[in-house]
Amino acid sequence: SLRTGAMRRKRSCREQPVPSCLLLTPGMASPMRSLLTDPARYLQAFRLFLTNSTEHQCGHAGFAFILGFMSPASLGEIDLLILSKLQARYPGVTINNEVIEPSADQIFKYKERVAETSNLENVKFTWHEETAYEYESRMNAEKKAKKWDFIHMIQMLYYEKDIPATIRYFHSLLEAQAKLLIILVSETSGWDTLWKKYGSSFPLDDLCSYVSSADLKRILDSAGLKYQLYELPSHMDITSCFIEGNKDGELLLDFLTETCEFSKNAPPELKHQVMEDLRKPECSEKRDGKVLFNNNLSVIVIEP
């Protein structure tokens, strides 16, 4: 199993022969800076996002239906949950699990989870502290082209500079009956609405790109790849964003805009417009006195 990762929310499979999987685990001239430039605050905001959203719960309901053996959860748990499903399907079979993850901290946490988890004797782990592009470059330089039975890229394509090239490369590594799984925000989500309207105003620089299922479908159609798409409904409680001075609300605003201390550093007019749009049906719905941001996800399963 091979997995390539990114900083966001974001990560193994077959014998008959041995199962193998791959996990792929323009701003304004103002004080605004990307949230990714402050890893500690990013992690705070990300954890709050997980607490306030139904993203990990919706995965449990959706993946067993989609692939029969998948059951993802929050960051750091995905691989081990997938591995448990693989072990149940292929009892006693050795599973090769390779992890591609540029964050040393995330690799450390993953290793900690492995050490705390029982019944992993038949799983062989290999960790690569590098990006998907660095992995591809190294494999090409070493003239290696290892094939995989399952590759997944969960919430990581936002951090790839050349998404079509990344998909082409990892698709080329699929075995005959393998699958490439991609999860990212849906074109029906509030994220897509925010990104289309304010993408050029948020300070992402070259650290991240805005991509939704609409963009991915165009890429796959252009490449002539066969795929199936499933929608997973999800929402995030952003009520606290509208409480002046609320620390959790400020962190969620940072996460929504990918901007460090957006509430303090954004130009007043931009902040006003974003706050207004976050209340609108295109982004959120009001239910039981709460403002629930549309966090819908798309699951794309690509054939060899």
Coordinates of all heavy atoms in Angstrom, one line a residue, residues 158-247:
Y158 N -4.8 19.4 -3.5 CA -4.7 20.9 -3.3 C -3.2 21.3 -3.3 O -2.9 22.5 -3.6 CB -5.3 21.4 -2.1 CG -6.6 20.7 -1.7 CD1 -6.8 19.8 -0.7 CD2 -7.8 21.0 -2.5 CE1 -8.0 19.2 -0.4 CE2 -9.0 20.4 -2.2 CZ -9.1 19.5 -1.1 OH -10.3 18.9 -0.8
Y159 N -2.3 20.4 -3.0 CA -0.9 20.8 -2.7 C 0.0 20.3 -3.9 O 1.2 20.4 -3.8 CB -0.4 20.2 -1.4 CG -1.3 20.7 -0.3 CD1 -2.4 19.9 0.1 CD2 -1.1 21.9 0.3 CE1 -3.2 20.4 1.1 CE2 -1.9 22.3 1.3 CZ -3.0 21.6 1.7 OH -3.8 22.0 2.7
E160 N -0.6 19.9 -5.0 CA 0.2 19.5 -6.2 C 0.2 20.6 -7.2 O -0.9 21.2 -7.5 CB -0.5 18.2 -6.8 CG -0.3 17.0 -5.9 CD 1.1 16.7 -5.6 OE1 2.0 16.7 -6.5 OE2 1.4 16.5 -4.4
K161 N 1.3 20.9 -7.7 CA 1.5 22.1 -8.6 C 1.0 21.7 -10.0 O 0.5 22.5 -10.8 CB 2.9 22.5 -8.7 CG 3.4 23.0 -7.4 CD 4.7 23.8 -7.5 CE 5.3 24.3 -6.2 NZ 4.3 25.0 -5.4
D162 N 1.1 20.4 -10.4 CA 0.7 19.9 -11.7 C -0.2 18.7 -11.5 O 0.2 17.6 -11.5 CB 1.9 19.6 -12.6 CG 1.4 19.3 -14.0 OD1 0.3 19.0 -14.3 OD2 2.3 19.4 -14.9
I163 N -1.5 19.0 -11.2 CA -2.5 17.9 -10.9 C -2.6 16.9 -12.0 O -2.6 15.7 -11.7 CB -3.8 18.5 -10.4 CG1 -3.6 19.3 -9.1 CG2 -4.9 17.4 -10.3 CD1 -4.8 20.1 -8.7
P164 N -2.8 17.3 -13.3 CA -2.9 16.3 -14.3 C -1.7 15.4 -14.4 O -1.9 14.1 -14.6 CB -3.1 17.1 -15.6 CG -3.7 18.4 -15.1 CD -3.0 18.7 -13.8
A165 N -0.5 15.9 -14.3 CA 0.7 15.1 -14.3 C 0.8 14.1 -13.1 O 1.2 13.0 -13.3 CB 1.9 16.0 -14.3
T166 N 0.4 14.6 -12.0 CA 0.4 13.7 -10.8 C -0.6 12.6 -11.0 O -0.2 11.4 -10.7 CB 0.0 14.6 -9.5 OG1 0.9 15.6 -9.3 CG2 -0.1 13.6 -8.3
I167 N -1.8 12.9 -11.5 CA -2.8 11.8 -11.7 C -2.3 10.8 -12.7 O -2.4 9.6 -12.6 CB -4.1 12.4 -12.1 CG1 -4.7 13.1 -10.9 CG2 -5.1 11.3 -12.5 CD1 -6.0 13.9 -11.2
R168 N -1.7 11.3 -13.8 CA -1.2 10.5 -14.9 C -0.1 9.5 -14.4 O -0.1 8.3 -14.7 CB -0.6 11.3 -16.0 CG -1.6 11.9 -17.0 CD -0.9 12.3 -18.3 NE 0.2 13.3 -18.0 CZ 0.0 14.6 -18.0 NH1 -1.2 15.1 -18.1 NH2 1.1 15.4 -17.7
Y169 N 0.8 10.1 -13.6 CA 1.9 9.2 -13.1 C 1.4 8.1 -12.2 O 1.7 6.9 -12.4 CB 2.9 10.1 -12.3 CG 4.0 9.2 -11.6 CD1 4.9 8.6 -12.4 CD2 4.0 9.0 -10.3 CE1 5.9 7.7 -11.8 CE2 4.9 8.2 -9.7 CZ 5.9 7.6 -10.5 OH 6.8 6.7 -9.9
F170 N 0.6 8.4 -11.2 CA 0.1 7.4 -10.2 C -0.9 6.5 -10.8 O -0.9 5.3 -10.5 CB -0.4 8.1 -8.9 CG 0.7 8.6 -8.1 CD1 1.0 10.0 -8.0 CD2 1.5 7.8 -7.3 CE1 2.0 10.5 -7.3 CE2 2.6 8.3 -6.6 CZ 2.8 9.6 -6.5
H171 N -1.6 6.9 -11.8 CA -2.5 6.0 -12.6 C -1.7 5.0 -13.3 O -2.1 3.8 -13.5 CB -3.4 6.8 -13.5 CG -4.3 6.0 -14.3 ND1 -4.0 5.6 -15.6 CD2 -5.5 5.5 -14.0 CE1 -5.0 4.9 -16.1 NE2 -6.0 4.8 -15.1
S172 N -0.5 5.4 -13.8 CA 0.4 4.5 -14.6 C 0.9 3.4 -13.7 O 1.5 2.4 -14.2 CB 1.5 5.3 -15.2 OG 2.5 5.7 -14.2
L173 N 0.8 3.5 -12.3 CA 1.4 2.6 -11.4 C 0.3 1.5 -11.0 O 0.7 0.6 -10.2 CB 1.9 3.2 -10.1 CG 3.0 4.3 -10.3 CD1 3.5 4.8 -9.0 CD2 4.1 3.8 -11.2
L174 N -0.9 1.6 -11.5 CA -1.9 0.7 -11.1 C -1.8 -0.7 -11.8 O -1.5 -0.8 -13.0 CB -3.3 1.2 -11.5 CG -3.8 2.5 -10.7 CD1 -5.1 2.9 -11.3 CD2 -3.9 2.2 -9.2
E175 N -2.0 -1.7 -11.0 CA -2.0 -3.1 -11.5 C -3.3 -3.2 -12.3 O -4.2 -2.3 -12.3 CB -2.1 -4.1 -10.4 CG -0.7 -4.3 -9.7 CD 0.3 -5.1 -10.4 OE1 0.0 -5.4 -11.6 OE2 1.3 -5.5 -9.8
A176 N -3.5 -4.4 -13.0 CA -4.6 -4.5 -14.0 C -6.0 -4.4 -13.3 O -6.9 -3.8 -13.9 CB -4.5 -5.9 -14.6
Q177 N -6.2 -4.9 -12.1 CA -7.4 -4.8 -11.4 C -7.4 -3.8 -10.2 O -8.3 -3.9 -9.4 CB -7.8 -6.2 -10.9 CG -7.9 -7.3 -11.9 CD -8.9 -6.9 -13.0 OE1 -10.0 -6.5 -12.7 NE2 -8.6 -7.2 -14.3
A178 N -6.5 -2.9 -10.3 CA -6.3 -2.0 -9.1 C -7.3 -0.8 -9.3 O -8.0 -0.6 -10.2 CB -4.9 -1.5 -9.1
K179 N -7.2 0.1 -8.2 CA -8.0 1.3 -8.2 C -7.2 2.4 -7.6 O -6.4 2.3 -6.7 CB -9.3 1.1 -7.4 CG -10.3 0.1 -8.0 CD -11.6 0.1 -7.3 CE -12.5 -1.1 -7.7 NZ -12.7 -1.1 -9.2
L180 N -7.5 3.6 -8.2 CA -7.0 4.9 -7.6 C -8.1 5.6 -7.0 O -9.1 6.0 -7.7 CB -6.3 5.7 -8.8 CG -5.9 7.1 -8.4 CD1 -5.0 7.2 -7.3 CD2 -5.3 7.8 -9.7
L181 N -8.0 5.9 -5.8 CA -9.1 6.6 -5.1 C -8.7 8.1 -4.8 O -7.6 8.3 -4.2 CB -9.4 5.9 -3.8 CG -10.4 6.6 -2.8 CD1 -11.8 6.6 -3.4 CD2 -10.4 6.0 -1.4
I182 N -9.5 9.0 -5.1 CA -9.3 10.4 -4.8 C -10.4 11.0 -4.0 O -11.6 10.8 -4.4 CB -9.0 11.2 -6.1 CG1 -7.8 10.7 -6.8 CG2 -8.9 12.7 -5.8 CD1 -7.6 11.4 -8.2
I183 N -10.2 11.7 -3.0 CA -11.2 12.4 -2.2 C -10.8 13.9 -2.1 O -9.7 14.2 -1.8 CB -11.4 11.8 -0.8 CG1 -11.8 10.4 -0.9 CG2 -12.5 12.6 0.0 CD1 -11.9 9.7 0.5
L184 N -11.8 14.7 -2.5 CA -11.6 16.2 -2.3 C -12.9 16.9 -2.2 O -14.0 16.2 -2.3 CB -10.8 16.7 -3.5 CG -11.5 16.9 -4.9 CD1 -10.5 17.6 -5.8 CD2 -11.9 15.6 -5.5
V185 N -12.9 18.2 -2.1 CA -14.2 18.9 -1.8 C -15.0 18.8 -3.1 O -14.5 18.8 -4.2 CB -14.0 20.3 -1.4 CG1 -13.2 20.4 -0.1 CG2 -13.3 21.1 -2.5
S186 N -16.3 18.7 -2.9 CA -17.3 18.7 -4.0 C -17.5 20.0 -4.7 O -17.5 21.1 -4.0 CB -18.6 18.1 -3.5 OG -19.6 18.2 -4.5
E187 N -17.9 20.0 -5.9 CA -18.3 21.2 -6.6 C -19.6 21.8 -6.0 O -19.9 22.9 -6.3 CB -18.4 21.0 -8.1 CG -19.5 20.0 -8.5 CD -19.5 19.6 -9.9 OE1 -19.9 20.5 -10.8 OE2 -19.1 18.5 -10.2
T188 N -20.3 21.0 -5.3 CA -21.6 21.4 -4.6 C -21.3 22.0 -3.3 O -22.3 22.5 -2.6 CB -22.6 20.3 -4.5 OG1 -22.1 19.3 -3.5 CG2 -22.8 19.6 -5.8
S189 N -20.1 22.1 -2.8 CA -19.8 22.5 -1.5 C -19.6 24.0 -1.4 O -19.5 24.7 -2.4 CB -18.5 21.9 -1.0 OG -17.3 22.4 -1.7
G190 N -19.7 24.5 -0.2 CA -19.4 25.9 0.1 C -18.0 26.3 -0.2 O -17.7 27.5 -0.6
W191 N -17.1 25.3 -0.1 CA -15.7 25.6 -0.5 C -15.6 26.1 -1.9 O -14.9 27.1 -2.2 CB -14.8 24.4 -0.3 CG -14.7 23.8 1.1 CD1 -15.4 22.8 1.6 CD2 -13.9 24.4 2.1 NE1 -15.0 22.6 2.9 CE2 -14.1 23.5 3.3 CE3 -13.0 25.4 2.2 CZ2 -13.5 23.7 4.5 CZ3 -12.4 25.6 3.4 CH2 -12.6 24.8 4.6
D192 N -16.2 25.4 -2.8 CA -16.2 25.8 -4.2 C -16.7 27.2 -4.5 O -16.1 27.9 -5.3 CB -17.0 24.8 -5.1 CG -16.6 24.8 -6.6 OD1 -15.4 24.6 -6.9 OD2 -17.5 25.1 -7.4
T193 N -17.8 27.5 -3.8 CA -18.3 28.9 -3.9 C -17.3 29.9 -3.4 O -17.1 30.9 -4.1 CB -19.6 29.0 -3.1 OG1 -20.6 28.0 -3.6 CG2 -20.2 30.4 -3.1
L194 N -16.7 29.7 -2.2 CA -15.8 30.6 -1.7 C -14.6 30.8 -2.6 O -14.1 31.9 -2.9 CB -15.3 30.2 -0.3 CG -16.2 30.5 0.9 CD1 -15.5 30.0 2.2 CD2 -16.4 32.0 1.0
W195 N -14.0 29.6 -3.1 CA -12.8 29.7 -3.9 C -13.0 30.4 -5.2 O -12.2 31.2 -5.6 CB -12.3 28.2 -4.1 CG -11.9 27.5 -2.9 CD1 -11.6 28.1 -1.7 CD2 -11.6 26.2 -2.8 NE1 -11.2 27.2 -0.8 CE2 -11.2 25.9 -1.4 CE3 -11.7 25.1 -3.6 CZ2 -10.8 24.7 -0.9 CZ3 -11.4 23.8 -3.1 CH2 -10.9 23.6 -1.8
K196 N -14.2 30.2 -5.8 CA -14.4 30.8 -7.1 C -14.5 32.3 -7.0 O -14.1 33.1 -7.8 CB -15.7 30.3 -7.7 CG -15.6 28.9 -8.3 CD -16.9 28.4 -8.9 CE -16.7 27.0 -9.5 NZ -18.1 26.4 -9.9
K197 N -15.1 32.8 -5.9 CA -15.3 34.2 -5.7 C -14.1 34.9 -5.1 O -13.8 36.1 -5.5 CB -16.6 34.4 -4.8 CG -16.9 35.9 -4.7 CD -18.3 36.1 -4.1 CE -18.7 37.6 -4.0 NZ -20.1 37.8 -3.5
Y198 N -13.4 34.3 -4.1 CA -12.4 35.0 -3.4 C -11.0 34.4 -3.5 O -10.1 34.8 -2.9 CB -12.8 34.9 -1.9 CG -14.0 35.7 -1.6 CD1 -15.2 35.0 -1.2 CD2 -14.1 37.0 -1.6 CE1 -16.4 35.6 -0.9 CE2 -15.3 37.7 -1.4 CZ -16.4 37.0 -1.0 OH -17.6 37.7 -0.7
G199 N -10.9 33.4 -4.4 CA -9.6 32.7 -4.6 C -8.4 33.7 -4.8 O -7.3 33.5 -4.2
S200 N -8.6 34.7 -5.6 CA -7.6 35.7 -5.9 C -7.3 36.6 -4.8 O -6.3 37.4 -4.8 CB -7.9 36.4 -7.2 OG -9.1 37.2 -7.0
S201 N -8.2 36.7 -3.8 CA -8.0 37.6 -2.7 C -7.4 37.0 -1.5 O -6.8 37.7 -0.6 CB -9.4 38.2 -2.2 OG -10.0 38.9 -3.3
F202 N -7.4 35.6 -1.4 CA -6.8 34.9 -0.3 C -5.3 34.7 -0.6 O -4.9 34.4 -1.7 CB -7.5 33.6 0.0 CG -8.9 33.7 0.4 CD1 -9.8 32.7 0.1 CD2 -9.3 34.9 1.1 CE1 -11.1 32.8 0.5 CE2 -10.7 35.0 1.5 CZ -11.6 34.0 1.2
P203 N -4.4 34.8 0.5 CA -3.0 34.7 0.3 C -2.4 33.4 0.2 O -1.5 33.0 1.0 CB -2.5 35.4 1.5 CG -3.4 35.0 2.6 CD -4.8 35.0 1.9
L204 N -2.8 32.6 -0.8 CA -2.2 31.2 -0.9 C -0.8 31.2 -1.5 O -0.1 30.2 -1.3 CB -3.2 30.4 -1.8 CG -4.4 29.8 -1.1 CD1 -5.1 28.9 -1.9 CD2 -4.0 29.1 0.2
D205 N -0.5 32.1 -2.3 CA 0.8 32.1 -3.0 C 0.9 30.8 -3.8 O 0.0 30.4 -4.5 CB 2.0 32.3 -2.0 CG 1.9 33.6 -1.3 OD1 1.6 34.6 -1.9 OD2 2.1 33.6 -0.1
D206 N 2.1 30.1 -3.7 CA 2.2 28.8 -4.4 C 2.1 27.6 -3.5 O 2.5 26.5 -3.9 CB 3.5 28.8 -5.2 CG 4.7 28.9 -4.3 OD1 4.5 29.2 -3.1 OD2 5.8 28.7 -4.8
L207 N 1.6 27.8 -2.3 CA 1.6 26.7 -1.3 C 0.4 25.8 -1.6 O 0.4 24.6 -1.1 CB 1.5 27.3 0.1 CG 2.8 28.1 0.6 CD1 2.5 28.7 1.9 CD2 4.0 27.2 0.6
C208 N -0.6 26.3 -2.2 CA -1.8 25.5 -2.3 C -2.6 26.0 -3.5 O -2.4 27.1 -4.0 CB -2.6 25.7 -1.0 SG -4.2 24.7 -1.0
S209 N -3.5 25.1 -4.1 CA -4.3 25.5 -5.2 C -5.7 25.1 -4.9 O -6.0 24.2 -4.1 CB -3.8 24.9 -6.5 OG -3.9 23.5 -6.4
Y210 N -6.7 25.9 -5.5 CA -8.1 25.6 -5.3 C -8.5 24.6 -6.3 O -8.5 24.9 -7.5 CB -8.9 26.9 -5.4 CG -8.6 27.9 -4.3 CD1 -8.3 29.2 -4.6 CD2 -8.7 27.5 -3.0 CE1 -8.0 30.1 -3.6 CE2 -8.5 28.5 -2.0 CZ -8.1 29.8 -2.3 OH -7.9 30.7 -1.3
V211 N -9.0 23.4 -5.9 CA -9.4 22.4 -6.9 C -10.6 21.7 -6.2 O -10.6 21.3 -5.0 CB -8.3 21.4 -7.3 CG1 -7.7 20.8 -6.0 CG2 -8.8 20.4 -8.2
S212 N -11.7 21.5 -7.0 CA -12.8 20.7 -6.5 C -13.1 19.6 -7.5 O -12.4 19.4 -8.5 CB -14.0 21.7 -6.4 OG -14.5 22.0 -7.7
S213 N -14.2 18.9 -7.2 CA -14.6 17.8 -8.1 C -14.8 18.2 -9.5 O -14.6 17.5 -10.5 CB -15.8 17.0 -7.6 OG -16.9 17.9 -7.5
A214 N -15.3 19.4 -9.7 CA -15.6 20.0 -11.1 C -14.3 20.0 -11.9 O -14.2 19.6 -13.0 CB -16.2 21.3 -11.0
D215 N -13.2 20.5 -11.2 CA -11.9 20.6 -11.9 C -11.4 19.2 -12.2 O -10.8 18.9 -13.3 CB -10.9 21.3 -11.0 CG -11.4 22.7 -10.6 OD1 -11.5 23.5 -11.5 OD2 -11.6 22.9 -9.4
L216 N -11.5 18.3 -11.2 CA -11.0 16.9 -11.4 C -11.7 16.2 -12.5 O -11.1 15.5 -13.3 CB -11.1 16.2 -10.1 CG -10.4 14.8 -10.1 CD1 -8.9 14.9 -10.4 CD2 -10.6 14.1 -8.7
K217 N -13.0 16.4 -12.6 CA -13.8 15.7 -13.7 C -13.3 16.2 -15.1 O -13.2 15.4 -16.0 CB -15.3 16.0 -13.5 CG -15.9 15.2 -12.4 CD -17.5 15.3 -12.5 CE -18.0 16.7 -12.2 NZ -19.4 16.8 -12.2
R218 N -13.0 17.5 -15.2 CA -12.5 18.0 -16.4 C -11.1 17.3 -16.8 O -10.9 17.0 -17.9 CB -12.4 19.5 -16.4 CG -13.7 20.2 -16.5 CD -13.5 21.7 -16.8 NE -12.9 22.4 -15.6 CZ -13.7 22.9 -14.6 NH1 -15.0 22.9 -14.7 NH2 -13.1 23.6 -13.6
I219 N -10.3 17.2 -15.8 CA -9.0 16.6 -16.0 C -9.1 15.2 -16.4 O -8.4 14.7 -17.3 CB -8.1 16.7 -14.7 CG1 -7.8 18.2 -14.4 CG2 -6.9 15.9 -14.8 CD1 -7.2 18.4 -13.0
L220 N -9.9 14.4 -15.7 CA -10.1 13.0 -16.0 C -10.8 12.8 -17.4 O -10.4 11.9 -18.1 CB -10.9 12.3 -14.9 CG -10.3 12.3 -13.5 CD1 -11.3 11.7 -12.5 CD2 -9.0 11.6 -13.5
D221 N -11.7 13.6 -17.7 CA -12.4 13.5 -19.0 C -11.4 13.8 -20.1 O -11.4 13.1 -21.2 CB -13.6 14.4 -19.1 CG -14.8 14.0 -18.2 OD1 -14.8 12.8 -17.8 OD2 -15.6 14.8 -17.9
S222 N -10.6 14.8 -19.9 CA -9.6 15.2 -20.9 C -8.6 14.1 -21.1 O -8.1 13.9 -22.2 CB -8.9 16.5 -20.5 OG -7.9 16.9 -21.4
A223 N -8.3 13.4 -20.0 CA -7.3 12.3 -20.1 C -7.9 11.0 -20.6 O -7.2 10.0 -20.9 CB -6.6 12.1 -18.8
G224 N -9.2 11.0 -20.8 CA -9.9 9.8 -21.2 C -9.9 8.6 -20.2 O -10.0 7.5 -20.6
L225 N -9.9 9.0 -18.9 CA -9.8 8.0 -17.9 C -11.2 7.6 -17.4 O -12.1 8.5 -17.4 CB -9.0 8.5 -16.7 CG -7.5 8.8 -16.9 CD1 -6.9 9.3 -15.6 CD2 -6.8 7.5 -17.4
K226 N -11.4 6.3 -17.1 CA -12.7 5.9 -16.6 C -12.8 6.0 -15.1 O -11.9 5.7 -14.4 CB -13.0 4.4 -17.0 CG -13.0 4.1 -18.5 CD -13.2 2.7 -18.8 CE -13.2 2.4 -20.3 NZ -13.4 0.9 -20.6
Y227 N -13.9 6.5 -14.6 CA -14.1 6.7 -13.2 C -15.5 6.7 -12.8 O -16.4 6.8 -13.6 CB -13.4 8.1 -12.8 CG -14.1 9.3 -13.4 CD1 -15.1 10.0 -12.7 CD2 -13.7 9.8 -14.7 CE1 -15.7 11.1 -13.3 CE2 -14.3 10.9 -15.2 CZ -15.3 11.5 -14.6 OH -15.9 12.6 -15.1
Q228 N -15.7 6.5 -11.5 CA -17.0 6.6 -10.9 C -16.9 7.7 -9.8 O -15.9 7.8 -9.1 CB -17.4 5.3 -10.2 CG -17.6 4.2 -11.3 CD -17.9 2.8 -10.6 OE1 -17.8 2.7 -9.4 NE2 -18.2 1.8 -11.4
L229 N -18.0 8.5 -9.6 CA -18.0 9.6 -8.7 C -19.2 9.4 -7.7 O -20.3 9.1 -8.1 CB -18.1 10.9 -9.4 CG -18.0 12.1 -8.5 CD1 -17.3 13.3 -9.3 CD2 -19.3 12.6 -8.0
Y230 N -18.9 9.6 -6.4 CA -19.9 9.5 -5.4 C -19.8 10.7 -4.5 O -18.7 11.3 -4.3 CB -19.6 8.2 -4.5 CG -19.4 7.0 -5.2 CD1 -18.2 6.6 -5.7 CD2 -20.5 6.1 -5.4 CE1 -18.1 5.4 -6.4 CE2 -20.4 4.9 -6.1 CZ -19.1 4.6 -6.6 OH -19.0 3.4 -7.3
E231 N -21.0 11.2 -4.1 CA -21.0 12.3 -3.2 C -21.3 11.9 -1.8 O -22.1 11.1 -1.5 CB -22.2 13.3 -3.7 CG -21.9 13.9 -5.0 CD -20.8 15.0 -4.9 OE1 -21.0 16.0 -4.2 OE2 -19.8 14.9 -5.6
L232 N -20.5 12.5 -0.9 CA -20.7 12.3 0.5 C -21.1 13.6 1.2 O -20.3 14.5 1.4 CB -19.4 11.8 1.2 CG -18.8 10.4 0.7 CD1 -17.5 10.1 1.4 CD2 -19.8 9.3 0.9
P233 N -22.3 13.7 1.7 CA -22.8 14.9 2.3 C -22.1 15.1 3.6 O -21.8 14.2 4.4 CB -24.3 14.6 2.6 CG -24.7 13.5 1.6 CD -23.4 12.7 1.5
S234 N -21.7 16.4 3.9 CA -21.0 16.7 5.1 C -21.2 18.2 5.4 O -21.5 19.0 4.5 CB -19.5 16.5 4.9 OG -18.8 16.9 6.1
H235 N -21.2 18.6 6.7 CA -21.3 20.0 7.0 C -20.4 20.3 8.2 O -19.8 19.4 8.9 CB -22.8 20.3 7.4 CG -23.2 19.6 8.6 ND1 -24.0 18.5 8.6 CD2 -23.1 19.9 10.0 CE1 -24.3 18.1 9.8 NE2 -23.7 19.0 10.7
M236 N -20.2 21.6 8.4 CA -19.3 22.1 9.5 C -20.1 23.2 10.2 O -20.6 24.1 9.6 CB -18.0 22.6 9.0 CG -17.1 23.3 10.0 SD -15.5 23.7 9.5 CE -15.7 24.7 8.0
D237 N -20.1 23.1 11.5 CA -20.8 24.2 12.3 C -19.9 25.4 12.4 O -18.8 25.3 13.1 CB -21.1 23.6 13.7 CG -21.9 24.6 14.6 OD1 -22.1 25.8 14.2 OD2 -22.3 24.2 15.7
I238 N -20.3 26.5 11.8 CA -19.4 27.7 11.8 C -20.2 28.8 12.5 O -19.8 30.0 12.3 CB -19.1 28.1 10.4 CG1 -20.3 28.5 9.5 CG2 -18.2 27.1 9.6 CD1 -20.0 29.2 8.2
T239 N -21.1 28.5 13.4 CA -21.9 29.5 14.1 C -20.9 30.4 14.9 O -21.2 31.6 15.0 CB -22.8 28.8 15.1 OG1 -23.6 27.8 14.4 CG2 -23.8 29.8 15.8
S240 N -19.9 29.9 15.5 CA -18.9 30.7 16.3 C -18.2 31.7 15.5 O -17.7 32.7 16.0 CB -17.9 29.8 17.0 OG -17.2 29.0 16.0
C241 N -18.2 31.6 14.1 CA -17.5 32.6 13.3 C -18.2 33.9 13.3 O -17.6 35.0 13.1 CB -17.5 32.1 11.8 SG -16.4 30.7 11.5
F242 N -19.5 33.9 13.7 CA -20.3 35.1 13.7 C -20.4 35.8 15.1 O -21.2 36.7 15.3 CB -21.6 34.9 13.1 CG -21.6 34.3 11.7 CD1 -21.6 32.9 11.5 CD2 -21.4 35.2 10.7 CE1 -21.5 32.4 10.2 CE2 -21.3 34.7 9.4 CZ -21.4 33.3 9.2
I243 N -19.6 35.2 16.1 CA -19.5 35.8 17.4 C -18.2 36.6 17.6 O -17.1 36.0 17.6 CB -19.6 34.7 18.5 CG1 -20.9 33.8 18.3 CG2 -19.5 35.3 19.9 CD1 -20.9 32.6 19.2
E244 N -18.3 37.9 17.6 CA -17.2 38.7 17.6 C -16.2 38.4 18.8 O -16.7 38.2 19.9 CB -17.6 40.2 17.8 CG -16.5 41.2 17.5 CD -16.0 41.2 16.1 OE1 -16.9 41.0 15.2 OE2 -14.8 41.5 15.8
G245 N -15.0 38.2 18.4 CA -14.0 37.9 19.4 C -13.9 36.4 19.9 O -13.0 36.1 20.7
N246 N -14.7 35.5 19.3 CA -14.7 34.1 19.7 C -13.5 33.5 19.1 O -13.3 33.5 17.8 CB -16.0 33.5 19.2 CG -16.1 32.0 19.6 OD1 -15.5 31.1 19.1 ND2 -16.9 31.8 20.6
K247 N -12.6 32.9 19.9 CA -11.4 32.3 19.4 C -11.6 31.2 18.5 O -10.9 31.0 17.5 CB -10.5 31.9 20.6 CG -10.1 33.0 21.6 CD -9.3 34.1 20.8 CE -8.9 35.2 21.7 NZ -8.2 36.3 20.9

